[in-house]
Amino acid sequence: SAVISQKPSRDICQRGTSLTIQCQVDSQVTMMFWYRQQPGQSLTLIATANQGSEATYESGFVIDKFPISRPNLTFSTLTVSNMSPEDSSIYLCSVQQGRQETQYFGPGTRLLVL
Amino acid sequence: KQEVTQIPAALSVPEGENLVLNCSFTDSAIYNLQWFRQDPGKGLTSLLLIQSSQREQTSGRLNASLDKSSGRSTLYIAASQPGDSATYLCAFETSGSRLTFGEGTQLTVNP
């Protein structure tokens, strides 16, 4: 299994600002994903982070709000831009070595926007 | 669009009891099913993965089954322990490795 770390683990931010979340994996992986878990709800996929190209966003999520980078096979960042209190959530990255294989999740970043 | 339902939403049992968590889905075109546990304030821990061609997987006290024809999966936990207390999530992988999650079952095992 992959060991995944996320930074920061939590943050409190003011509305209108932006926060970049980092996801680091201890081995090269084929696929990386970003999910959001709003308070009291389950996980929703934001986007697939593609190495060397633009991320693939799910319906309801746009690049201007959630820009994503993936410069190599072990690292990705998610930025939450122009934050509002509605962005208060847990943001999790996950990795998968190949299609139909186990997805492993990072510990999450807990974001509170005031 | 895939919809995933987990029943019950919450469950409280005494230690030692065997229990079953249920997960149902609407679209049978799935690649696999994963069961996760989430502890309060923590990320997700993968418990079991069942490929669409399989019917069940076992790991220790956990057994997960998959019935695509009826659109159902169950997670069976034998001899429950207080350390099993967590939220259990099922998720289905569809095209593009997308996982669609259920709302979860919050399990409490009382000593």
Side-chain angles (χ1 to χ4, degrees), chain B residues 51-110:
Chain B
Q51 299 290 352
S52 62
S53 58
Q54 298 174 321
R55 292 192 64 83
E56 67 176 330
Q57 282 288 334
T58 297
S59 176
R61 295 182 293 109
L62 306 180
N63 176 274
S65 67
L66 174 64
D67 184 343
K68 288 179 61 178
S69 62
S70 65
R72 295 179 61 186
S73 176
T74 61
L75 178 67
Y76 175 84
I77 303 177
S80 58
Q81 303 171 357
D84 294 331
S85 297
T87 296
Y88 289 80
L89 298 161
C90 66
F92 292 90
E93 179 178 341
T94 54
S95 63
S97 295
R98 294 174 176 84
L99 287 183
T100 302
F101 282 84
E103 295 291 327
T105 293
Q106 186 174 353
L107 173 66
T108 302
V109 181
N110 301 300

Side-chain angles (χ1 to χ4, degrees), chain A residues 11-17 83-86 88 111-114:
Chain A
D11 207 342
I12 301 173
C13 300
Q14 297 297 319
R15 67 172 67 210
T17 63
M83 289 184 285
S84 67
E86 291 71 34
S88 298
L111 172 61
L112 176 64
V113 184
L114 303 178

Side-chain angles (χ1 to χ4, degrees), chain A residues 20-36:
Chain A
T20 295
I21 302 168
Q22 299 179 2
C23 178
Q24 179 74 54
V25 193
D26 69 339
S27 59
Q28 293 185 345
V29 292
T30 305
M31 286 169 278
M32 296 182 76
F33 308 90
W34 287 97
Y35 287 82
R36 179 176 73 181

Side-chain angles (χ1 to χ4, degrees), chain A residues 31 33 35 37 40-43 45 48 56 58 90 92 96 98-108 110, chain B residues 31-32 34 36 38-44 46 49 51-52 89 93 95-104:
Chain A
M31 286 169 278
F33 308 90
Y35 287 82
Q37 186 175 28
Q41 298 188 26
S42 194
L43 282 77
L45 179 63
T48 301
T56 304
E58 297 300 302
I90 301 173
L92 301 103
Q96 187 181 40
R99 295 192 189 280
Q100 304 177 41
E101 295 188 17
T102 299
Q103 276 198 31
Y104 297 98
F105 282 78
R110 284 146 193 80
Chain B
Y31 292 113
N32 62 43
Q34 276 191 256
F36 297 89
Q38 185 174 31
D39 294 279
K42 301 290 182 63
L44 275 66
S46 178
L49 170 73
Q51 299 290 352
S52 62
L89 298 161
E93 179 178 341
S95 63
S97 295
R98 294 174 176 84
L99 287 183
T100 302
F101 282 84
E103 295 291 327

